[in-house]
Amino acid sequence: MEGKEQTPQEADMEPVVTSGASEAVPRVLSGNPQNLSDVDAFNLLLEMKLKRRRERPNLPRTVTQLVAEDGSRVYVVGTAHFSDDSKRDVAKTIREVQPDVVVVELCQYRVSMLKMDERTLLREAKEVSLEKLQQAVRQNGLMSGLMQMLLLKVSAHITEQLGMAPGGEFREAFKEASKVPFCKFHLGDRPIPVTFKRAIAALSFWQKVKLAWGLCFLSDPISKDDVERCKQKDLLEQMMAEMIGEFPDLHRTIVSERDVYLTYMLRQAARRLELPRASDAEPRKCVPSVVVGVVGMGHVPGIEKNWRTDLNIQEIMTVPPPSISGRVSRLAVKAVFFGLLGYGLYWMGRRTVSLVLSLPAAQFCFQRASGPRPGQ
């Protein structure tokens, strides 16, 4: 993806048909449905879709409307990732506008949450196992993998507090998009290994220690009211301001850069659509598209800010080489890890030998071995 414009990633879940249009199309003449051509059948389904599309949709207050240069419309739904209200907002928006494309704040490394049911996700989100740690380290490296596990621990803490699996709004978007004719489903977030590696590279050693310490000991109770209040822009901006003051580089890589990436992917999706032609002799007809974006509320201000600016995602897709302090800290972490592992094995082995030697059977064997042999 580096240095080249690519279309948004499509979730490899179900067959997706090319998107339809968002303006009036020629009506199909009544007749025998079996005699309809492919173009006529497409136009008929498209006309049904447009009839269900509202010109002035009744949208939730969490929706921000953006317009592309070619007239395509983008409805960005700002969500809280642990929220039943956000799920309802997403479903209502998709039903009202009947989009041609739905873009969600997921990447290919997190698309599995679309396949799982709520109970499985709830169980998976609560468990932070050694297997998950090994997988994270293999994908992202040692430091980035450990940081990912700490953030998973935070997610597990919220899941346990609320009894609700994350990403419900994305699963709702996937389900509703499958009901809209000719609607594509795109993955619009930057790959998570790139985000973690850039975040770790941006922090100093002591910032990494401070962040890890805060994440390890996060145990404050969280209520559903706290999550719903995150949908208010003023509260969220206040939280972001506090975060910027402590970890400005972390905010840049995890929030600001992903704002740019999400904006780029939404703009890629919001392109004029070409209507099918009965023959090559017919002139090409293109119409504006309708897109629904489903993102966390914290990304909405950044998407609005970047909507009219020239974007280059090549820079934010590269991972800078580790600095000298980064290499030293990584070696130190490895040395401490293997040192503690070696000491733990030594202590366990010594303790086990002591326990075995204290058994009556072992003492009896030693006495027999040290005693005089028969015939001597």
Side-chain angles (χ1 to χ4, degrees):
M1 184 174 292
E2 297 180 17
K4 299 180 181 179
E5 285 196 359
Q6 295 187 356
T7 56
Q9 309 161 37
E10 295 185 15
D12 187 16
M13 310 290 283
E14 294 180 358
V16 181
V17 189
T18 303
S19 172
S22 60
E23 290 184 352
V25 295
R27 297 180 62 85
V28 178
L29 298 177
S30 60
N32 188 352
Q34 295 181 352
N35 296 330
L36 291 178
S37 66
D38 292 340
V39 175
D40 289 339
F42 178 90
N43 287 335
L44 178 61
L45 290 173
L46 187 55
E47 184 179 5
M48 294 171 57
K49 173 180 177 177
L50 295 177
K51 284 183 178 179
R52 289 187 288 177
R53 179 178 289 172
R54 305 286 183 87
E55 285 297 327
R56 294 183 178 180
N58 180 22
L59 299 174
R61 60 180 178 82
T62 54
V63 176
T64 300
Q65 182 175 349
L66 303 170
V67 180
E69 293 180 355
D70 61 8
S72 297
R73 287 172 290 164
V74 179
Y75 299 93
V76 183
V77 188
T79 66
H81 295 313
F82 294 84
S83 170
D84 288 331
D85 282 353
S86 288
K87 293 163 62 175
R88 288 188 285 269
D89 290 350
V90 169
K92 180 177 177 62
T93 303
I94 293 176
R95 292 169 189 168
E96 288 280 325
V97 305
Q98 294 289 297
D100 304 304
V101 185
V102 173
V103 181
V104 296
E105 185 197 333
L106 288 176
C107 67
Q108 65 267 35
Y109 293 93
R110 292 176 289 158
V111 73
S112 60
M113 69 165 54
L114 298 176
K115 302 179 182 180
M116 298 182 186
D117 58 83
E118 196 78 14
R119 182 178 299 178
T120 304
L121 270 170
L122 192 59
R123 185 179 67 252
E124 287 288 324
K126 289 181 179 179
E127 296 176 356
V128 181
S129 61
L130 181 61
E131 182 181 354
K132 288 184 178 179
L133 174 60
Q134 292 173 342
Q135 182 180 1
V137 171
R138 280 197 302 268
Q139 286 183 353
N140 307 319
L142 180 61
M143 294 299 296
S144 299
L146 291 174
M147 190 62 64
Q148 181 178 350
M149 289 307 298
L150 290 175
L151 293 175
L152 283 177
K153 177 181 178 296
V154 175
S155 178
H157 169 65
I158 299 175
T159 300
E160 186 175 2
Q161 291 281 319
L162 299 180
M164 182 187 303
E169 73 273 31
F170 302 137
R171 291 187 293 280
E172 194 71 20
F174 183 72
K175 181 176 70 175
E176 291 296 328
S178 66
K179 301 176 184 178
V180 179
F182 314 116
C183 183
K184 294 182 179 180
F185 192 86
H186 288 173
L187 307 176
D189 201 3
R190 183 172 64 179
I192 195 169
V194 177
T195 297
F196 277 119
K197 288 177 181 178
R198 286 185 61 85
I200 291 299
L203 295 177
S204 67
F205 174 75
W206 292 114
Q207 284 179 321
K208 295 172 187 175
V209 172
K210 187 176 182 180
L211 179 63
W213 181 268
L215 294 175
C216 282
F217 294 96
L218 179 68
S219 60
D220 295 336
I222 301 171
S223 66
K224 289 189 176 182
D225 291 338
D226 294 333
V227 176
E228 294 305 326
R229 281 200 299 271
C230 287
K231 296 168 70 175
Q232 302 172 13
K233 291 187 178 180
D234 54 345
L235 175 64
L236 196 59
E237 289 174 358
Q238 180 182 353
M239 294 169 61
M240 288 301 174
E242 295 174 357
M243 186 177 181
I244 290 173
E246 194 165 2
F247 300 106
D249 293 325
L250 192 65
H251 177 270
R252 174 176 55 81
T253 53
I254 292 182
V255 180
S256 300
E257 290 182 358
R258 289 173 62 220
D259 290 345
V260 172
Y261 192 92
L262 288 165
T263 306
Y264 174 84
M265 299 306 261
L266 286 170
R267 278 167 37 174
Q268 289 290 304
R271 291 180 169 182
R272 291 179 69 86
L273 304 170
E274 182 179 343
L275 297 179
R277 297 178 294 166
S279 66
D280 293 338
E282 289 188 11
R284 296 179 183 272
K285 295 180 180 179
C286 296
V287 295
S289 61
V290 173
V291 178
V292 169
V294 182
V295 302
M297 179 59 76
H299 293 292
V300 175
I303 292 174
E304 289 185 274
K305 176 183 176 183
N306 294 310
W307 186 249
R308 295 294 182 184
T309 60
D310 294 330
L311 302 177
N312 179 13
I313 65 169
Q314 180 180 2
E315 181 182 352
I316 63 173
M317 289 299 294
T318 58
V319 179
S323 61
I324 297 178
S325 61
R327 290 194 292 267
V328 170
S329 63
R330 187 162 58 251
L331 290 174
V333 169
K334 288 183 178 180
V336 170
F337 174 77
F338 287 112
L340 291 175
L341 179 63
Y343 178 77
L345 293 174
Y346 167 75
W347 185 86
M348 289 178 62
R350 184 177 177 181
R351 182 70 174 170
T352 302
V353 170
S354 300
L355 289 174
V356 170
L357 293 179
S358 64
L359 295 175
Q363 293 179 357
F364 175 76
C365 292
F366 273 109
Q367 290 176 359
R368 290 289 301 273
S370 59
R373 296 180 179 180
Q376 289 184 353

